[in-house]
Amino acid sequence: MSEIISQSALRALAAEWIAGGKSVAGPARVKPDLVLYRVLRSGDDLLLEGFQRPSNSIKDFLFPKAEKLYGYKIRGNSIELIENDSPEPAQVIIAARPCDAAALPILDHVFNWDFHDEFYNRRRAATTVVTLACSAHDENCFCTSVGLDPGSDRGSDAILFALGNGQYEVRCATEKGHALFDGKTEKSERTGKAITGPEKRFDAQAVRAFVTTHFEDPFWNEHALTCIGCGTCAFSCPACHCFDIVDAGSAAGNARVKTWDSCQFSTFTAHASGHNPRPAQPARQRQRILHKFAIYPEKFGEILCTGCGNCTRNCPVGLGVLSVATEINHG
Amino acid sequence: MDNVYKPDLMEVTRIRQETPDVKSVSLRFLDSGRARDFSFRVGQFGIFSAFGYGESTFNICSSSNWKDHIEFCFRKVGRVTEALWKIEEKDVVGFRGPYGNGYPMEAWKGRDLIFLGGGIAMPPIRCAVWYALENRADYGEITVVYGARTVADLVFLDELDEWSKSERVRIIRCVDPGGETPDWKGEIGFVPHVFERAQVAAKDPVVLVIGPPIMIKNTLPILDKMGVKPASVYTSIENRMKCGIGKCGRCNVGPIYVCKEGPVLTMEQLQGLPADY
Ligand code: SF4
Ligand code: SF4
Ligand code: FES
């Protein structure tokens, strides 16, 4: 026995969540050739077919591009800090890809080893993730090379499988998932199945072995020549989490803000003295691969990449993890 | 909400201009409970901020035995330090910390201590020297070699005089060739050479060496000749930091997050790490 829901019932349910005050985010077509995860205004905004995956990732809703840490008022030489303690509104992310949802347990480690980042944790606690298993993959998908697959429910509270004819099987994985779908589905004999994954495109262990032994290597020069340091790879990655802390506003003061940053930017590691341990793009490309395949795994026991392919799909010059990793593997 | 990014507010109690572009600043916590409960280890760092401009990372350069205030020292080089340069006594700045590992002062007990510092690297050495002098019986011979480009660039000069009055302490000041003044009484030469010339007779010492990469590089062969093992040579890594708490992804040297497992590392540790600093 399985639980199923029709596409129209799913849209109606999303509309019900929105009407009930929840923020609902999911894939939407924002331009003829651009699909992004974004906050949906209606159930009809939700795009369920006809694209590989959104160009951004669901981290936008847990670790936003810019987040105010606290405000401050300056009066003479007295400073008042102003914190926002209002509760995080409940949010649902619907039709997330498995490679997006799987990044959340990865981010959980970062934001909670030793020190706890409650900005992230509060959003995480207020968020329910409803994943849609993949029914297609493109040439940039490589989840199976990093230990995932198109039907993985890692990081998901519920996962949907397309059954065809506008029907979806619903499998709830957590209490939060049940809270959304219990009583909203119908019994059925039909069960869904994700596609079999893209064939394995590289050996992650071999990539790790290479990066940990080729710190100074002509490979990085050759490989990174074309990188323009735009940071698109990091910004569209579900797992990249580097950030900066900056003061926003005039000297009269208003807020200190956490903003996304990227190891691909030239200023990322620049010392005030002018010295930069990673003076050019080759060292920065190396850092991205090193962090994902060796540094993070050494600390937290898993790869800092879910194989979504975004960094390669979105890179203006065709780099990204897939290109580099396959080059390392076959080169 | 427990906000790990929220700073303590601290009042500036004293400002000293050390050189044309370096100042040291004393701070006290505005919150009396925090002032009472605060403790740190020498070698740890803080994230200091000028509201309206941003945060910047500096070693806490006072001794951890001083209970009524902390100090930091900075060179005017960027946006935040330009703003800090303008602060006055009674102004309020932000402080997060203490962060990082600090020096293993307990483990150093009973050993001779050699401190080698170049330029603006004096503050992170100064806190350890004061700590050792305040616990004088715990440590053996203490040698400090401190150099800067010119006489005008030497910081905490009056304190160096004070230190030299203690027992079993040898203080050697030096400036780079050409940086001396007519009445300069210290040595002339680069820190590694001056140190080598001084023929410091230490047995199984702990060495703390902080300064520009070239200074550290030229010091290591001398220590090697003296038979000092890399595990006894410490430094403090200056990688750029933002969060200080292992999240922002900025400070790593290979798998080591400098803000958490550093900034204090031994040469033995560094030898096993990529040159990413
Ligand atoms: S790898 Fe591509 S996306 Fe990433 S910074 Fe370089 S050019 Fe931009
Ligand atoms: S590194 Fe690239 S493929 Fe891996 S999760 Fe990030 S964007 Fe996706
Ligand atoms: S300073 Fe942010 S991770 Fe170390």
Side-chain angles (χ1 to χ4, degrees):
Chain A
M1 279 299 259
S2 63
E3 303 290 332
I4 65 166
I5 192 167
S6 71
Q7 192 174 115
S8 55
L10 189 63
R11 289 186 193 282
L13 199 51
E16 201 178 291
W17 298 330
I18 296 169
K22 289 189 170 75
S23 172
V24 179
R29 195 170 290 285
V30 297
K31 284 193 218 167
D33 58 351
L34 183 64
V35 176
L36 293 177
Y37 289 111
R38 69 155 193 211
V39 174
L40 305 176
R41 283 171 305 234
S42 71
D44 293 335
D45 263 3
L46 176 63
L47 188 69
L48 288 162
E49 292 151 345
F51 65 103
Q52 184 54 48
R53 53 156 294 131
S55 295
N56 61 342
S57 86
I58 68 168
K59 82 173 172 197
D60 299 30
F61 305 97
L62 292 116
F63 166 47
K65 285 191 189 70
E67 179 157 53
K68 185 164 157 178
L69 299 172
Y70 50 88
Y72 48 79
K73 280 204 191 105
I74 305 174
R75 268 196 226 91
N77 47 21
S78 96
I79 308 275
E80 186 195 345
L81 300 185
I82 305 139
E83 287 190 275
N84 176 10
D85 269 331
S86 55
E88 268 316 312
Q91 68 177 343
V92 179
I93 299 171
I94 185 160
R97 287 285 181 272
C99 44
D100 278 294
L104 299 185
I106 292 176
L107 295 177
D108 289 347
H109 291 310
V110 174
F111 288 116
N112 287 288
W113 68 304
D114 197 351
F115 294 91
H116 300 277
D117 182 327
E118 294 302 329
F119 292 94
Y120 173 83
N121 289 342
R122 278 163 25 120
R123 285 178 196 275
R124 180 86 159 97
T127 303
T128 308
V129 180
V130 180
T131 298
L132 173 59
C134 294
S135 38
H137 60 75
D138 73 8
E139 70 283 4
N140 292 315
C141 295
F142 62 94
C143 49
T144 47
S145 308
V146 289
L148 283 164
D149 64 77
S152 161
D153 69 354
R154 183 154 196 249
S156 305
D157 296 296
I159 181 162
L160 309 174
F161 293 87
L163 295 168
N165 303 329
Q167 301 286 325
Y168 297 89
E169 186 197 343
V170 182
R171 289 184 212 155
C172 294
T174 67
E175 285 303 312
K176 278 182 183 170
H178 280 290
L180 285 187
F181 287 103
D182 282 1
K184 309 288 182 184
T185 53
E186 290 165 29
K187 299 267 180 252
S188 167
E189 296 297 330
R190 302 174 63 194
T191 56
K193 190 151 122 329
I195 44 152
T196 45
E199 67 193 53
K200 223 172 148 205
R201 305 204 199 268
F202 61 83
D203 174 9
Q205 279 307 325
V207 173
R208 180 172 182 171
F210 179 88
V211 291
T212 46
T213 50
H214 293 71
F215 191 77
E216 300 290 351
D217 194 273
F219 174 84
W220 301 113
N221 280 319
E222 287 157 25
H223 159 75
L225 271 179
T226 52
C227 174
I228 57 168
C230 64
T232 300
C233 45
F235 278 34
S236 64
C237 172
C240 276
H241 53 263
C242 292
F243 61 85
D244 198 354
I245 297 175
V246 297
D247 281 34
S250 68
N254 52 36
R256 202 154 276 163
V257 181
K258 183 164 107 183
T259 61
W260 286 359
D261 205 343
S262 166
C263 58
Q264 298 310 301
F265 295 153
S266 59
T267 51
F268 190 65
T269 52
H271 296 196
S273 65
H275 170 67
N276 193 339
R278 297 182 207 133
Q281 232 44 42
R284 298 170 194 147
Q285 281 287 308
R286 178 192 62 211
Q287 165 66 16
R288 189 159 191 268
I289 305 295
L290 194 63
H291 192 188
K292 290 189 178 291
F293 287 87
I295 296 171
Y296 186 95
E298 181 166 322
K299 278 202 149 43
F300 302 115
E302 57 182 317
I303 298 170
L304 181 59
C305 169
T306 62
C308 73
N310 259 5
C311 52
T312 295
R313 216 173 275 118
N314 296 331
C315 173
V317 299
L319 293 173
V321 162
L322 180 61
S323 315
V324 189
T326 40
E327 230 181 290
I328 288 174
N329 248 212
H330 308 303
Chain B
M1 175 174 83
D2 187 20
N3 183 349
V4 284
Y5 303 101
K6 186 178 144 187
D8 291 301
L9 297 179
M10 300 195 80
E11 186 191 57
V12 176
T13 54
R14 187 167 111 126
I15 298 169
R16 288 196 307 181
Q17 182 159 352
E18 302 282 346
T19 77
D21 60 357
V22 175
K23 279 184 178 178
S24 63
V25 178
S26 302
L27 303 170
R28 75 172 180 87
F29 289 99
L30 287 182
D31 184 283
S32 55
R34 180 73 169 136
R36 191 184 53 237
D37 299 337
F38 181 79
S39 68
F40 73 102
R41 294 184 297 279
V42 283
Q44 287 189 293
F45 65 91
I47 309 247
F48 298 82
S49 57
F51 291 98
Y53 300 91
E55 298 186 314
S56 208
T57 309
F58 306 107
N59 162 264
I60 304 172
C61 69
S62 42
S63 161
S64 51
N65 292 321
W66 307 349
K67 296 297 178 201
D68 58 336
H69 75 283
I70 62 169
E71 295 178 26
F72 73 101
C73 184
F74 67 97
R75 183 192 297 267
K76 185 172 56 154
V77 278
R79 192 177 134 77
V80 176
T81 47
E82 295 274 358
L84 289 171
W85 190 261
K86 295 197 195 98
I87 56 170
E88 293 169 3
E89 286 177 13
K90 294 211 158 35
D91 279 350
V92 172
V93 299
F95 167 81
R96 295 194 285 120
Y99 296 140
N101 55 358
Y103 305 123
M105 297 307 294
E106 282 299 311
W108 290 358
K109 278 187 177 168
R111 312 269 299 265
D112 288 349
L113 304 180
I114 299 176
F115 298 100
L116 305 174
I120 184 69
M122 200 52 194
I125 288 180
R126 175 219 189 208
C127 54
V129 173
W130 273 120
Y131 183 94
L133 292 178
E134 287 157 359
N135 300 275
R136 191 68 198 86
D138 288 340
Y139 303 96
E141 300 291 322
I142 294 177
T143 308
V144 180
V145 181
Y146 172 46
R149 225 159 30 83
T150 72
V151 176
D153 292 312
L154 290 160
V155 300
F156 297 114
L157 262 186
D158 50 334
E159 298 192 5
L160 294 176
D161 293 336
E162 227 177 297
W163 297 345
S164 36
K165 290 178 201 144
S166 311
E167 293 162 45
R168 294 178 291 132
V169 174
R170 186 169 167 203
I171 309 287
I172 301 167
R173 305 161 185 77
C174 59
V175 291
D176 293 357
E180 70 274 18
T181 48
D183 57 348
W184 174 243
K185 297 211 176 49
E187 304 278 327
I188 295 170
F190 298 104
V191 170
H193 305 147
V194 172
F195 172 58
E196 191 170 30
R197 279 207 305 262
Q199 300 276 342
V200 175
K203 51 172 199 325
D204 189 28
V206 165
V207 181
L208 176 61
V209 47
I210 308 179
I214 183 73
M215 183 199 114
I216 297 181
K217 186 163 168 260
N218 292 337
T219 303
L220 296 181
I222 302 167
L223 294 173
D224 193 46
K225 259 193 259 163
M226 289 171 65
V228 184
K229 286 186 213 66
S232 293
V233 182
Y234 293 76
T235 192
S236 185
I237 299 289
E238 308 231 301
N239 271 16
R240 183 156 186 203
M241 306 195 210
K242 276 288 171 178
C243 71
I245 54 177
K247 316 239 175 278
C248 76
R250 187 173 314 264
C251 64
N252 71 289
V253 176
I256 298 279
Y257 273 47
V258 174
C259 66
K260 299 251 309 145
E261 293 122 300
V264 181
L265 299 177
T266 64
M267 286 301 154
E268 186 181 42
Q269 283 176 296
L270 276 179
Q271 281 164 2
L273 291 173
D276 210 7
Y277 48 89

